[in-house]
Amino acid sequence: LIAKYVGWTAQNVHEKIDDANGGVLFIDEAYSLANGSSFGLESIATIVKAMEDNKGELVVIFAGYSKEMQEFIDSNSGIKSRIGYTFEFADYSEEELYKIYELKASKTGFKIDQKAEAKIRELINYGRTKKNFGNGRYVDNIFQKTLTKHAKNIKSEGDVLIIKEDSVPSIEDVIAQASGNKDPKIIDKLFDDIIGLDNI
């Protein structure tokens, strides 16, 4: 939605509005538009006007993290009055997150043994207690790290499609890999600072 040059942002927004007219315009991480740049604020103002001009023809969905979305709503006085419904989705439970992991494993032909499952759940529960928890994205990162570690740990042909305990990274492994630091206190702090393990 945001263009690199002056005058292009409104044009970009209008093109997206035209494409979505008669349907839905879904804007994920909408709060990034309210980053203080004039282009971002221009895009918000253009969207707000389009919502009014296309009332009954267009549904606009703004999505993002709760705190940041509140700041987004506060960034333009016209937004709040035009948002008819607000939905807050709870984080996934431990069981739901494990099912996501299990589904990813199954789709790639892997089975998970019991000891590996316990370690995966431990990793999930640790993550759920931290700020900036990445939810499903966090599980995806754990799974990707598991595949990398698993590839290094294969000892026989029979092990290829079975995720065992030694294939699942520990919290210490994951954070130490990102930071090069193995001090448990620093690792815990680093985990808090890493959003959904995206930087790993």
Side-chain angles (χ1 to χ4, degrees), residues 13-14 16 21-22 24 30-31 56 64 74 87 89-90 102 120 131-132 135 148 157 168 172-173 179 185:
V13 173
H14 284 303
K16 293 298 177 190
N21 218 13
V24 176
Y31 49 80
D74 294 340
F87 302 95
F89 297 96
E102 193 175 46
I120 293 161
K131 70 177 183 181
N132 299 325
N135 233 335
T148 302
E157 194 175 319
V168 180
E172 291 79 12
D173 290 339
S179 67
K185 288 180 183 173

Side-chain angles (χ1 to χ4, degrees), residues 23-189:
V24 176
L25 176 63
F26 183 91
I27 305 173
D28 197 11
E29 298 183 9
Y31 49 80
S32 62
L33 296 174
N35 61 4
S37 78
S38 58
F39 295 153
L41 297 175
E42 181 185 5
S43 70
I44 293 170
T46 307
I47 292 166
V48 168
K49 184 174 187 314
M51 288 169 73
E52 186 61 35
D53 293 347
N54 297 280
K55 197 181 287 184
E57 300 289 328
L58 176 70
V59 173
V60 179
I61 299 174
F62 300 109
Y65 294 113
S66 300
K67 178 180 175 289
E68 288 83 350
M69 287 306 295
Q70 189 55 58
E71 291 167 1
F72 166 73
I73 290 168
D74 294 340
S75 71
N76 182 297
S77 57
I79 293 177
K80 190 167 190 176
S81 63
R82 287 174 176 83
I83 294 178
Y85 303 95
T86 302
F87 302 95
E88 187 145 356
F89 297 96
D91 286 341
Y92 289 121
S93 66
E94 175 202 335
E95 190 59 33
E96 288 167 329
L97 290 164
Y98 179 74
K99 289 293 182 191
I100 292 170
Y101 185 102
E102 193 175 46
L103 183 63
K104 286 178 178 295
S106 175
K107 282 187 172 181
T108 49
F110 286 93
K111 293 184 178 176
I112 305 166
D113 79 8
Q114 283 187 329
K115 287 184 177 177
E117 177 180 340
K119 193 170 178 184
I120 293 161
R121 287 180 182 275
E122 183 183 351
L123 201 54
I124 286 169
N125 281 321
Y126 183 85
R128 290 179 71 230
T129 67
K130 301 300 173 185
K131 70 177 183 181
N132 299 325
F133 172 56
N135 233 335
R137 186 180 63 226
Y138 172 71
V139 171
D140 187 56
N141 279 304
I142 293 173
F143 183 64
Q144 294 304 321
K145 297 301 167 201
T146 301
L147 293 182
T148 302
K149 192 171 180 183
H150 180 70
K152 295 175 185 174
N153 288 343
I154 295 171
K155 296 177 180 73
S156 68
E157 194 175 319
D159 291 338
V160 173
L161 293 176
I162 300 173
I163 295 174
K164 297 185 177 180
E165 184 181 20
D166 63 356
S167 292
V168 180
S170 67
I171 287 291
E172 291 79 12
D173 290 339
V174 171
I175 303 302
Q177 180 185 341
S179 67
N181 198 310
K182 299 195 180 208
D183 183 311
K185 288 180 183 173
I186 294 175
I187 284 169
D188 203 53
K189 171 71 172 74

